[in-house]
Amino acid sequence: MRFEEQTEAAVARRRKRDREATRRRILDAARDLFGEHGYDGVTVRMIAGRAEANTALVHRYFGSKAALFGEVLAGESVIRGVIAGAPEGLPRRLAEHFVRQVDQRSVTAMSRMLDRSAGHPEVKEILLRYLEDVIVEPMVAQLDGPDARARALLASTIIMGGGPVRRLVGLGDLRAADPADLTDRLTAMFSAALATPVHRGT
């Protein structure tokens, strides 16, 4: 390789690293600001300032504040990894994930984001896409038999329902329960939700 080509390659690698680092700073800044102020209380200018970038870069990398919120949400979520794996172990993995979330003593960045942003119309649309892309469709792909989408949605109500309960009632009683017993009960709930339906004759 000629010297000029080596130099061009080195410059290209450095630019790629710089772009990735800037993109990461923007995501981190957005996560923190959305958690602190909610979706309505944050502007692209605020995010750019926290990330030591300019607003043009935020728009270039993410397109809009709504798209950036969606990417932060997807990046903070671990549920996709929980769903992935052998289909027969899915109910147990979902139950263990739920119990880990219950036992989480400190409020996560994702929880803060949702608590402060969930009522915004744009955020509702983002949450619908998140539910479809990250939870429902990956679960449907794991299921055989009829009514796979309905079964995945039923399991999703258990997963997503924990958030409103935590915000309205708190999780003290669930945290006081035996984690093994809680996991067994939730495994039974997820197993029932995801099971192939038995069609009864009339």
Side-chain angles (χ1 to χ4, degrees), residues 21-170:
T22 301
R23 197 174 186 281
R24 184 70 256 169
R25 288 201 313 274
I26 292 169
L27 283 168
D28 290 344
R31 178 199 62 212
D32 293 342
L33 286 168
F34 286 137
E36 291 167 15
H37 305 291
Y39 185 84
D40 251 352
V42 176
T43 65
V44 171
R45 187 179 296 277
M46 290 169 63
I47 295 168
R50 177 75 67 92
E52 299 180 349
N54 59 58
T55 56
L57 280 176
V58 177
H59 287 296
R60 183 188 305 169
Y61 291 153
F62 300 99
S64 67
K65 185 175 80 167
L68 176 53
F69 185 94
E71 188 144 352
V72 171
L73 181 64
E76 290 295 309
S77 176
V78 299
I79 189 67
R80 195 192 300 272
V82 172
I83 294 171
E88 61 271 16
L90 180 58
R92 188 74 180 184
R93 293 197 303 275
L94 291 172
E96 290 169 347
H97 169 71
F98 194 105
V99 171
R100 284 194 298 270
Q101 297 299 106
V102 165
D103 199 45
Q104 184 79 47
R105 298 293 168 171
S106 59
V107 179
T108 64
M110 187 170 173
S111 295
R112 287 197 304 271
M113 281 176 55
L114 295 177
D115 286 348
R116 291 170 170 81
S117 307
H120 194 282
E122 287 184 356
V123 173
K124 288 181 181 179
E125 291 298 318
I126 293 165
L127 288 174
L128 282 173
R129 290 198 300 273
Y130 169 81
L131 178 64
E132 281 290 335
D133 297 343
V134 178
I135 300 178
V136 175
E137 287 304 319
M139 272 203 282
V140 169
Q142 293 267 33
L143 301 176
D144 292 323
D147 303 329
R149 180 173 170 79
R151 291 148 59 199
L153 282 170
L154 187 56
S156 298
T157 63
I158 304 171
I159 298 168
M160 300 296 284
V165 170
R166 175 179 55 77
R167 289 190 286 274
L168 293 172
V169 181

